[in-house]
Amino acid sequence: MIDAVVGETTSGRPDDRAASALRFATELIAWVATPWALASHSWLLAALSMVVLIGLPTLFSTPGDKTSVIIAVPGWVTILLVLLQLAAAVLSSWFTWPTWAAIAVTFLAATTLVTECRRWRWLLSLTTPAGPRVEVPGAP
C-alpha cells in the first residue's frame, strides 16, 4: 500500500515506480549491449556477462526490496549490483553502438542514478540480514 503523503509503502520502502522503470530499461540495455560488445572477443565472455548481469541480481537481493529473496544480502550489495548494471550499459553502448545511441544510454543511466537516491538511502538504512547465530561459551 502507498502512503501518498510521504511517498513510501507501508513497509517503509520508498515508492520508486519511476526509478524502477528507468532501472529496468538500463538493465535491459546492459543485457543486450554487454554480450554484443564482448562477442567479438570471446563467446565465453559474452555468455559469462549474461550470467553475471542477470544471475547475480536474481540470486542476491536485500530482504524488503524484493518479495522473493533467494540469498539475502545487505543493501550496499544491491546498490553495487545496480551500479554494475549501469556501468555495463554505458560502457558497452559506447563500444557497440553509434554515438547518438551511446549518448542516450549515458543520459538514461545518469537519470537512473538520480532517481535511485531515495531507494539507496533506504537500502543503506536496513540492517544486515541475520545469519546463523553462534553461541560462544563465556561470551556476554
Side-chain angles (χ1 to χ4, degrees), residues 17-132:
R17 286 176 278 191
S20 292
L22 293 172
R23 184 174 62 247
F24 183 66
T26 309
E27 288 172 351
L28 282 176
I29 291 168
W31 301 344
V32 171
T34 304
W36 191 346
L38 294 173
S40 63
H41 301 290
S42 165
W43 68 268
L44 186 60
L45 282 177
L48 183 62
S49 73
M50 294 300 292
V51 170
V52 169
L53 293 173
I54 296 174
L56 290 181
T58 301
L59 285 176
F60 300 104
S61 53
T62 304
D65 190 41
K66 287 186 178 177
T67 56
S68 175
V69 174
I70 298 172
I71 299 173
V73 294
W76 62 267
V77 174
T78 298
I79 294 169
L80 288 178
L81 290 172
V82 172
L83 288 171
L84 174 68
Q85 299 271 355
L86 295 175
V90 170
L91 292 173
S92 299
S93 68
W94 281 101
F95 283 107
T96 307
W97 295 338
T99 303
W100 64 267
I103 290 170
V105 171
T106 303
F107 180 75
L108 174 65
T111 305
T112 302
L113 275 174
V114 171
T115 61
E116 282 286 293
C117 287
R118 283 183 46 206
R119 176 174 171 251
W120 289 359
R121 278 193 299 274
W122 174 77
L123 283 168
L124 290 173
S125 73
L126 298 176
T127 58
T128 304

